[in-house]
Amino acid sequence: MTVEGAGAPRLTSKGLATRRRIVEGAAEEIREQGVTGTTLDDIRARTATSKSQIFHYFPGGKEELLLAVASREAERVLEDQEPHLSNLRTWAAWQDWRDAVVRRYERQGVNCPLGVLITEVGRATPAAQALTARLIDQWQAALRTGIRHLQDSGDVDRRLDADRTAAALVAAIQGGVTILMSTGRLTHLEAALDTTLTLLRTTAPATR
Amino acid sequence: MTVEGAGAPRLTSKGLATRRRIVEGAAEEIREQGVTGTTLDDIRARTATSKSQIFHYFPGGKEELLLAVASREAERVLEDQEPHLSNLRTWAAWQDWRDAVVRRYERQGVNCPLGVLITEVGRATPAAQALTARLIDQWQAALRTGIRHLQDSGDVDRRLDADRTAAALVAAIQGGVTILMSTGRLTHLEAALDTTLTLLRTTAPATR
């Protein structure tokens, strides 16, 4: 998932690699120093790039770079769930995925790099909304595929709407993470995942 | 739910009424003008109170008043779900509650008065965390009672952990609302509520 600035130049593969390096360096810097504590000079120093290089790749300056970093952090949300998320074929695989999600957010704790960036860019801006919507769509699609696998194998009732169930799962995770960030408690994320999976299991025709 | 400042004086019933009036007026002002656009003078003008009265009831000044308003907004989150939330005895009652929740957040849209106040007070402050935790606990307790009613009437499997299921429902709503606020879409809130209720129904011993 990449959000390119409207005025971004077409890049060669070397250019893409440099752009990627700037985004990765900026992401690390922001994870360490926080978004308000990070200047373009910090990012230049970390990535060994010049001011003109930064503005070549991000003509919109810091705001455009922040959006690119947010896009990268959104990619990471999904990457951190792999290889489980793309392989949800059995209940055991779903359980491994569940554990990976809980571990990821336990590690992350009350600070969400993506949330901070989205807030900085402006939650209500079209660019931020599009980025969030895309992450949710991709996440939901992966879970929908997994639910369909379970329906195909007879482990989940075929009459269940796989897309809405996947949407409910994404919402449950999002809510568990929001509560974790607001209260420091992991219990709601775990309860949300476990309850949904337990309830899904009870729909299996074989158990009825 | 009331969060009193540490140094708040003991109040007579008349004093409590005045304090209440200031909080309600401040809440209305903030809903209309936004929290950054609201000054203590605006609140004084709206509630016809003097500077010394405001500081009598809120010795900590604007910050303490904002926390009291946040506490009031948290109460409203639960009040807006009544009379349904306290009366979740049948599937029909649960459906009415579900509709009330969706309507409430549809009306609210992308702006959450409580969320804005919590952000302003400082999401990570102990006072804000305590306030959020209390709202979640009260919400979860009400839903737990409702799930136990369904278990008692044989409409939901008694082996289900009512408290964890209630926690999952609170997380699902919270996630649906977060997604609504980030993308403007109501679909995830609806999917989260409907899927959980549909799945809960399938656990009923009678349907198995």
Side-chain angles (χ1 to χ4, degrees):
Chain A
M1 186 163 100
T2 311
V3 175
E4 305 282 354
R10 288 210 165 218
L11 299 177
T12 61
S13 63
K14 195 182 158 205
L16 279 172
T18 306
R19 186 181 188 280
R20 182 87 177 181
R21 187 161 57 80
I22 297 171
V23 171
E24 293 284 353
E28 283 166 30
E29 189 73 24
I30 288 169
R31 277 176 171 248
E32 286 171 21
Q33 308 296 332
V35 67
T36 49
T38 298
T39 66
L40 279 183
D41 281 342
D42 296 331
I43 294 166
R44 283 203 307 105
R46 185 171 200 127
T47 58
T49 44
S50 66
K51 208 163 188 165
S52 68
Q53 270 181 305
I54 299 250
F55 281 96
H56 173 70
Y57 293 107
F58 304 96
K62 190 174 180 186
E63 198 182 314
E64 189 180 345
L65 178 54
L66 287 184
L67 204 57
V69 175
S71 180
R72 177 69 194 111
E73 292 289 356
E75 281 177 349
R76 279 198 197 182
V77 168
L78 298 178
E79 283 172 10
D80 289 352
Q81 297 173 58
E82 297 297 354
H84 312 292
L85 184 61
S86 298
N87 189 33
L88 295 170
R89 294 178 174 277
T90 62
W91 286 123
W94 275 88
Q95 192 61 39
D96 289 343
W97 166 75
R98 175 263 182 224
D99 292 344
V101 170
V102 170
R103 270 199 313 272
R104 178 199 197 274
Y105 285 104
E106 188 174 22
R107 212 163 47 227
Q108 181 171 291
V110 298
N111 298 306
C112 174
L114 178 58
V116 169
L117 286 158
I118 293 277
T119 304
E120 185 69 19
V121 170
R123 190 169 291 275
T125 58
Q129 290 210 350
L131 195 153
T132 308
R134 205 175 335 174
L135 170 61
I136 289 166
D137 287 346
Q138 291 179 328
W139 204 341
Q140 187 170 328
L143 293 173
R144 183 177 61 228
T145 301
I147 291 164
R148 289 205 175 125
H149 285 317
L150 295 178
Q151 288 179 317
D152 289 344
S153 58
D155 287 313
V156 160
D157 191 332
R158 281 172 190 277
R159 290 169 300 178
L160 219 62
D161 183 325
D163 189 51
R164 284 200 104 202
T165 307
L169 252 175
V170 171
I173 296 168
Q174 185 62 56
V177 171
T178 305
I179 293 173
L180 167 64
M181 286 167 54
S182 305
T183 66
R185 297 183 198 164
L186 200 63
T187 44
H188 285 79
L189 177 61
E190 294 181 309
L193 285 164
D194 293 340
T195 300
T196 310
L197 294 184
T198 299
L199 289 175
L200 274 178
R201 273 172 189 266
T202 66
T203 70
T207 70
R208 296 176 69 90
Chain B
M1 185 161 100
T2 311
V3 174
E4 306 282 357
R10 288 209 165 219
L11 299 177
T12 60
S13 62
K14 196 182 158 208
L16 278 173
T18 306
R19 186 181 187 282
R20 182 88 177 183
R21 187 161 55 81
I22 296 171
V23 171
E24 293 284 353
E28 283 167 28
E29 189 72 23
I30 289 169
R31 277 176 173 250
E32 286 171 21
Q33 308 297 332
V35 66
T36 49
T38 298
T39 66
L40 279 183
D41 282 343
D42 296 330
I43 294 167
R44 283 203 310 106
R46 182 168 202 131
T47 57
T49 45
S50 66
K51 208 162 188 166
S52 69
Q53 269 181 308
I54 299 250
F55 281 96
H56 173 68
Y57 292 107
F58 304 96
K62 190 174 179 187
E63 198 182 313
E64 188 179 346
L65 178 53
L66 287 183
L67 203 57
V69 174
S71 180
R72 178 70 193 108
E73 292 289 356
E75 281 178 350
R76 279 197 196 182
V77 169
L78 298 178
E79 283 172 12
D80 288 352
Q81 298 174 57
E82 298 295 355
H84 312 291
L85 184 62
S86 298
N87 189 32
L88 295 170
R89 292 176 176 278
T90 62
W91 286 123
W94 275 88
Q95 192 60 38
D96 288 343
W97 165 76
R98 175 265 183 223
D99 292 343
V101 170
V102 170
R103 272 198 312 273
R104 179 198 196 276
Y105 286 103
E106 188 174 22
R107 213 163 46 230
Q108 182 171 290
V110 298
N111 297 307
C112 174
L114 179 58
V116 169
L117 286 158
I118 293 277
T119 303
E120 184 69 20
V121 169
R123 191 169 291 274
T125 59
Q129 290 212 349
L131 196 152
T132 308
R134 207 175 334 174
L135 170 60
I136 289 167
D137 287 345
Q138 290 179 329
W139 203 341
Q140 188 170 328
L143 293 173
R144 183 176 60 226
T145 300
I147 291 165
R148 290 207 175 124
H149 285 318
L150 295 178
Q151 289 179 314
D152 289 344
S153 58
D155 287 313
V156 162
D157 191 332
R158 283 171 188 276
R159 290 170 301 178
L160 219 61
D161 184 325
D163 189 51
R164 284 201 104 202
T165 307
L169 253 175
V170 171
I173 297 168
Q174 184 63 55
V177 171
T178 306
I179 293 172
L180 167 63
M181 287 167 54
S182 305
T183 65
R185 299 183 198 164
L186 200 62
T187 44
H188 284 79
L189 177 60
E190 292 181 311
L193 284 164
D194 292 342
T195 301
T196 310
L197 294 184
T198 299
L199 289 175
L200 274 178
R201 275 172 189 265
T202 66
T203 70
T207 69
R208 296 177 69 87

